[in-house]
Amino acid sequence: MFSKILIANRGEIACRVIRTARRLGVKTVAVYSEADRRSMHVAMADEAVAIGPAPVAESYLVGDRIIEAARETGAEAIHPGYGFLSENPDFVDQVVAAGLVFIGPSADSIRAMGLKDAAKRLMEKAGVPVVPGYHGDGQALVLLAGKAKEIGYPVLIKARAGGGGKGMRRVDDPADFAEALAAAQREAKAAFGDPRVLIEKYVEKPRHIEVQVFGDNHGHAVHLYERDCSAQRRHQKVIEEAPAPGMTAEMRAAMTAAAVKAAMAIDYSGAGTIEFIVDASDGLRPDRFWFMEMNTRLQVEHPVTEMVTGVDLVEWQLRVAAGETLPKTQEEIRLDGHAFEARIYAEDATRDFLPAIGTLHHLEFPRRLGDDTSVRVDTGVAAGDAISPFYDPMIAKLITKGADRAAALGGLVAALEKTQVAGSTVNIPFLAALAGDADFAAGDVDTGMIARKQEALTAIAPPGAAIVARAALAASGAVHDATSADPWDTLAGYAHFNPIARRVRLVRDGEEITASVTARPGGAFAVGLGAKNEFVFDALHASSAAVALWPGHVTVFEGAVGHSFSIPDPVAEAEEQAAGTDTIRAPMPGLVKVARAAEGERVTKGQALLVLEAMKMEHTIAAGQDGTIAEIVTEGAQVTDGTVLVRFAAD
């Protein structure tokens, strides 16, 4: 076993690797950018080395600097985590050339599976079923359009490099092919530096089922059963589970055998995942699954496999990289129970999952659910940390396990309802709605389910009057005054004969709310919302409510929903009114990729004006009104959240 390793990653996965290394007595070295100087993974590691500025191209993707850090600290091996350099074969070659061990597969294995088209040709030779499609080198529009016609619509355009749904477009009509191809190529170029694509038949009711495989350097390979990752939005996984619902013994035998065959075909060593697309239109059948791609690294969703097999996959990675054989044979790996993982992101599900930023002023996770369900939280942030625009906006992974699927799913819903985040918009209400959906609960899930139900799954009911009253009580400061250790605080607002009501102003969704808060005998408080709407909170409930106060805001938690209200600042309000409203502002930090309008141009409501690239995805900015453009941001501009993108003339 190694005595010291360097982790070439950040956030949640870096913390995850550190925990296992610490248990095994292996010392760890963290690397960090300027933006991550005070991050959790830096604090957890035995040593930490600065590697550059915040942008990943100047820090986490600089292989030379990472190898230099390993040498400086005496690390013997490098764990890549996932993302960044984890599937970069050139980096693997650099690590080996430097006399270090790469904790993962060989560069040759990564290259064999790195390009989807070449990987599929290799799998065909190995006898692994692949999706009908075109995986050739030709990239001319006429050729690709012709291949799409041969395959038959609908088709899927996919970037040949990378993953995560980037550079991917579904096309139902030949008339839309050229535009979809251009968008996919543009996005693939931005995300992976490679605009080339392949064309595949689109499966009408697809399920995404993947198999965890593991190989060593002694010719052995095993599987650790399957995971179902069909719950996706924009081709990105949302909730994963193991094992797959509805899986039959015959189907599992066929899929796992194909997965191990794929791993053996490239002499695979380490943790890997074989991803299959499954046609579930007639249930799970062994003749209806096809190889999609292989991820030659640890997956984000690996905890669900760990929960149902009792295997620490990171420990296996370390042992195999150190030259040991696989810790267990295939017969010794057993399934036990059911597990779910929900990815908690800083994003606004009500605005088509736009990524969000902000400081996590309040952050609380459940630690225990009950005797029949266990919970695990994998995170790389703590209260007070900021969600940066430079990196993936994941906050945590919430994992639950139960004796069966119903118990595990019930535990997931309960865990989401006990998770509290204030300071950034998060997707917890959406996750809870998805986990509580009747079709999802029945296991009737395909990759298009979220898109079909997106409006219902992302809808959030406005807070009721009782929630508003609780927010007003918290914002008033009256509870703090009444419970403060300072005796002068308890006299705040004192009146000899009649109690004085505190006036509180809140704003939610642009609407101002006015309330009055009055202290009552015995530590109770009355909150008035108009003449006929009064709520009384006793001392216990007033002080123990699920409420978070943070700068200029208050959040009241109701189940999985956090209702946030702003507390107006009169000075800021005056500045905002002076600024005017005939503008369109950036909804998130990003790069202006395309400008489709110009100064002086007359535009109509709904007309596309700009394409903003954020988190390597493209988002169209449309006009919210008819008008003449007085100013518009230029192509190539890097903007922050709130930057004025378009200003209309006052006509």
Side-chain angles (χ1 to χ4, degrees):
M1 179 55 69
F2 307 110
S3 60
K4 182 188 290 188
I5 65 170
L6 180 142
I7 303 163
N9 218 296
R10 64 176 299 279
E12 171 268 323
I13 185 57
C15 296
R16 162 73 189 90
V17 174
I18 290 170
R19 290 187 183 98
T20 289
R22 181 182 294 166
R23 180 174 60 79
L24 297 176
V26 178
K27 292 189 178 299
T28 54
V29 179
V31 293
Y32 63 92
S33 69
E34 292 175 1
D36 281 338
R37 184 176 298 276
R38 295 178 177 83
S39 293
M40 182 183 289
H41 77 283
V42 174
M44 287 180 63
D46 296 293
E47 300 174 64
V49 179
I51 56 171
V56 295
E58 301 175 50
S59 52
Y60 294 107
L61 292 180
V62 183
D64 290 341
R65 182 69 190 100
I66 291 170
I67 291 171
E68 181 185 343
R71 283 173 159 168
E72 289 173 357
T73 56
E76 303 156 84
I78 295 178
H79 193 300
Y82 49 71
F84 294 148
L85 295 169
S86 63
E87 294 181 282
N88 185 319
D90 295 334
F91 177 65
V92 178
D93 285 336
Q94 284 182 276
V95 172
V96 174
L100 303 169
V101 176
F102 181 77
I103 302 174
S106 68
D108 288 343
S109 292
I110 296 175
R111 287 191 178 97
M113 290 297 189
L115 297 177
K116 296 184 181 71
D117 50 359
K120 287 177 179 176
R121 289 195 294 268
L122 178 62
M123 290 299 99
E124 283 181 303
K125 290 180 182 177
V128 178
V130 301
V131 181
Y134 172 72
H135 310 129
D137 294 325
Q139 294 291 299
L141 171 60
V142 173
L143 171 67
L144 295 178
K147 293 296 182 182
K149 184 177 180 181
E150 289 177 15
I151 295 166
Y153 286 88
V155 297
L156 197 62
I157 302 172
K158 297 175 66 175
R160 72 196 296 258
K166 299 178 179 68
M168 186 180 293
R169 295 290 188 280
R170 171 182 171 170
V171 188
D172 295 285
D173 189 328
D176 300 328
F177 185 84
E179 183 178 349
L181 175 63
Q185 291 173 327
R186 196 164 57 233
E187 199 170 89
K189 174 67 175 176
F192 315 117
D194 184 350
R196 291 172 292 178
V197 299
L198 51 86
I199 313 296
E200 290 181 348
K201 176 65 179 174
Y202 184 84
V203 180
E204 289 292 346
K205 190 175 181 181
R207 280 179 63 179
H208 181 138
I209 301 177
E210 60 191 29
V211 176
Q212 177 73 59
V213 294
F214 221 107
D216 62 20
N217 295 308
H218 303 277
H220 306 122
V222 297
H223 70 81
L224 290 96
Y225 301 97
E226 79 282 352
R227 297 184 288 256
D228 194 303
C229 307
S230 302
Q232 302 178 5
R233 49 92 176 155
R234 293 206 303 255
H235 306 290
Q236 292 182 315
K237 300 166 186 175
V238 175
I239 295 180
E240 302 99 342
E241 61 181 297
M247 180 60 69
T248 64
E250 184 183 17
M251 178 75 162
R252 176 174 289 139
M255 289 190 77
T256 55
V260 172
K261 187 184 296 183
M264 295 290 285
I266 57 171
D267 298 321
Y268 195 77
S269 175
T273 298
I274 309 297
E275 301 194 348
F276 295 104
I277 192 75
V278 179
D279 181 355
S281 58
D282 191 24
L284 297 184
R285 292 174 42 178
D287 61 343
R288 297 287 183 89
F289 72 90
W290 303 279
F291 172 85
M292 189 163 53
E293 62 182 338
M294 181 179 189
N295 290 122
T296 52
R297 53 170 169 80
L298 199 65
Q299 291 279 84
V300 177
E301 59 272 22
H302 76 273
V304 293
T305 294
E306 294 184 322
M307 296 289 268
V308 297
T309 61
V311 169
D312 183 331
L313 293 175
V314 174
E315 178 182 344
W316 278 33
Q317 285 186 299
L318 297 180
R319 293 193 180 282
V320 165
E324 298 181 24
T325 58
L326 291 174
K328 289 186 177 184
T329 65
Q330 188 66 72
E331 292 71 25
E332 293 173 320
I333 304 170
R334 302 294 179 87
L335 272 177
D336 175 32
H338 204 101
F340 283 92
E341 173 184 290
R343 303 187 187 190
I344 299 175
Y345 278 95
E347 64 183 13
D348 191 344
T350 66
R351 300 173 67 196
D352 200 25
F353 303 100
L354 286 179
I357 58 175
T359 299
L360 303 175
H361 293 284
H362 177 84
L363 184 63
E364 187 173 306
F365 298 111
R367 296 301 173 189
R368 191 173 184 278
L369 295 178
D371 295 335
D372 59 342
T373 310
S374 58
V375 61
R376 164 178 163 180
V377 179
D378 282 15
T379 186
V381 296
D385 288 348
I387 300 299
S388 166
F390 295 105
Y391 312 117
D392 186 90
M394 180 187 286
I395 294 174
K397 300 184 307 195
L398 200 61
I399 308 109
T400 58
K401 179 191 175 184
D404 53 31
R405 190 174 188 271
L409 185 57
L412 181 64
V413 173
L416 288 166
E417 291 178 346
K418 293 180 179 181
T419 301
Q420 299 178 359
V421 183
S424 178
T425 303
V426 292
N427 66 340
I428 296 174
F430 159 70
L431 294 172
L434 176 58
D437 178 81
D439 289 336
F440 188 86
D444 184 14
V445 184
D446 61 77
T447 59
M449 190 194 88
I450 290 177
R452 293 192 301 271
K453 298 188 174 191
Q454 184 167 326
E455 185 175 352
L457 292 173
T458 58
I460 298 177
I467 296 296
V468 176
R470 195 174 289 279
L473 176 59
S476 72
V479 176
H480 171 268
D481 292 344
T483 59
S484 173
D486 186 338
W488 292 105
D489 285 342
T490 62
L491 297 177
Y494 170 77
H496 187 63
F497 293 105
N498 296 306
I500 296 177
R502 303 187 188 194
R503 183 171 178 270
V504 180
R505 292 171 60 226
L506 302 172
V507 175
R508 180 175 171 83
D509 295 333
E511 179 183 350
E512 182 167 314
I513 303 164
T514 302
S516 62
V517 179
T518 308
R520 292 281 184 88
F525 296 92
V527 180
L529 299 173
K532 298 182 179 179
N533 218 350
E534 183 177 80
F535 296 84
V536 177
F537 299 93
D538 61 39
L540 176 62
H541 290 95
S543 61
S544 63
V547 175
L549 277 167
W550 45 290
H553 297 80
V554 59
T555 299
V556 181
F557 298 99
E558 181 184 30
V561 179
H563 299 286
S564 292
F565 304 79
S566 58
I567 305 171
D569 179 341
V571 175
E573 287 179 329
E575 292 176 349
E576 182 67 24
Q577 290 171 359
T581 58
D582 290 336
T583 58
I584 297 176
R585 296 179 180 271
M588 75 202 103
L591 174 70
V592 178
K593 197 71 175 179
V594 180
R596 292 181 173 166
E599 292 182 9
E601 183 177 342
R602 183 76 182 176
V603 299
T604 57
K605 183 177 180 180
Q607 181 177 336
L609 305 181
L610 298 163
V611 175
L612 186 66
E613 182 188 275
M615 305 295 179
K616 299 298 183 184
M617 299 288 282
E618 293 185 355
H619 308 274
T620 300
I621 307 298
Q625 61 185 25
D626 296 348
T628 301
I629 295 178
E631 298 176 31
I632 187 168
V633 70
T634 58
E635 286 187 8
Q638 188 75 43
V639 298
T640 59
D641 192 9
T643 297
V644 174
L645 300 176
V646 180
R647 192 181 303 279
F648 291 96
D651 59 353

